[in-house]
Amino acid sequence: MSGNPGAQPGLSGVPAPAVPGQRIGRIDPPGAPAPGAPTGVAGPAAIPGPRGPGPAPGMRLYLPIPRMGWYELPLDPADRTAAIAARWTELKATEPVLDRPEIAAAFADTLRTLASHYARRGSQVAAIGWAAASGRPPDSVLDVKLVEPLPAESARDEAEGLTGLLMLPSPDDASPRTVQLVDLPAGPAARLRLLGPGGRDTTGRDVVCDIVQYWLPAPAVGATVLVSCSTSDLAGGDRVAAVVDTLVTGLTVEPRAGLSAG
């Protein structure tokens, strides 16, 4: 389940630039429950567990991430420095007042820390919703990971089974669950939305997030694809959920040419 990246311990700011209120937050290595983790949100123990870190062998997985207001996290260490530098170049071109070495360092540190965190957790795709010039930490996080499939005769049977399991509440739920069986271009999926745990903020207080998940059976690659997004901006929860609902229509998961799920 995706949680709130701003709810991690260790948030601090760098000195503000000339325009009041504009700064970049720095996020130190997370120590709270991992945002995006399904623990305590997905429901009963029968829900499939995540697979290990690293790129998924034998498959191609793609989810379109919007450029406006979102930052895709470079999960591959080989690409990380160059990708972060490119996004910084874009940001300072639109916000020249931010072009200061300490702000550049804090921006890079935030993306580098979160990218490393989600790569370790096994995310195949991860992104944060962040008004980077606002001085506030990211308020939304989206990640895609692979989980073990439920035993089922077809993708639809598995999606129906997941729908039933996801309806079962967890003690950590902060709202009733809304669960639907939906048809995406990539296949049938279970959609879950609720208010749930999002880690702790810098004062140690529990954070509640608005969470939306899609569980997409992908038997062609021997896995279930879990798309998770949550936001601590509860007033903006419908807006963020609408973004996710649009993005999953572009989700692609298929075996690579010449390879099989094994």
Side-chain angles (χ1 to χ4, degrees):
M1 198 67 47
S2 287
N4 169 24
Q8 302 302 326
L11 178 68
S12 59
V14 299
V19 177
Q22 286 191 319
R23 59 181 182 174
I24 301 291
R26 185 190 300 272
I27 298 180
D28 294 330
T39 304
V41 179
I47 286 290
R51 293 186 172 178
M59 65 170 290
R60 184 176 77 90
L61 191 154
Y62 171 74
L63 184 73
I65 302 297
R67 301 288 288 183
M68 184 66 69
W70 289 83
Y71 292 82
E72 184 166 359
L73 299 174
L75 301 178
D76 186 346
D79 301 332
R80 192 167 294 158
T81 298
I84 292 172
R87 290 311 305 266
W88 171 248
T89 298
E90 291 178 16
L91 178 62
K92 70 180 183 180
T94 58
E95 300 280 354
V97 71
L98 298 177
D99 191 7
R100 295 170 54 176
E102 66 271 28
I103 298 176
F107 175 88
D109 184 63
T110 294
L111 294 186
R112 186 182 304 111
T113 297
L114 290 173
S116 177
H117 174 65
Y118 282 96
R120 289 195 305 269
R121 289 188 52 248
S123 298
Q124 302 297 311
V125 179
I128 54 173
W130 188 20
S134 69
R136 298 186 300 271
D139 59 21
S140 303
V141 63
L142 181 150
D143 76 320
V144 183
K145 63 174 64 68
L146 302 179
V147 300
E148 297 297 333
L150 286 180
E153 293 186 359
S154 68
R156 182 161 296 276
D157 287 345
E158 184 184 349
E160 290 175 350
L162 286 165
T163 300
L165 287 173
L166 291 168
M167 288 180 179
L168 301 176
S170 163
D172 292 330
D173 292 355
S175 75
R177 293 174 169 230
T178 300
V179 184
Q180 302 165 281
L181 179 65
V182 298
D183 286 302
L184 302 177
R191 182 187 187 272
L192 166 67
R193 189 172 176 196
L194 79 160
L195 299 180
R200 294 182 175 85
D201 65 15
T202 55
T203 68
R205 295 176 300 183
D206 290 331
V207 173
V208 173
C209 285
D210 192 327
I211 300 163
V212 61
Q213 290 186 334
Y214 281 85
W215 296 69
L216 172 74
V221 297
T224 295
V225 179
L226 172 57
V227 179
S228 304
C229 184
S230 70
T231 181
S232 60
D233 178 13
L234 299 185
D238 288 343
R239 172 184 54 80
V240 175
V243 170
V244 180
D245 292 340
T246 299
L247 296 184
V248 294
T249 63
L251 176 64
T252 299
V253 53
E254 58 190 20
R256 291 190 184 275
L259 296 173
S260 67

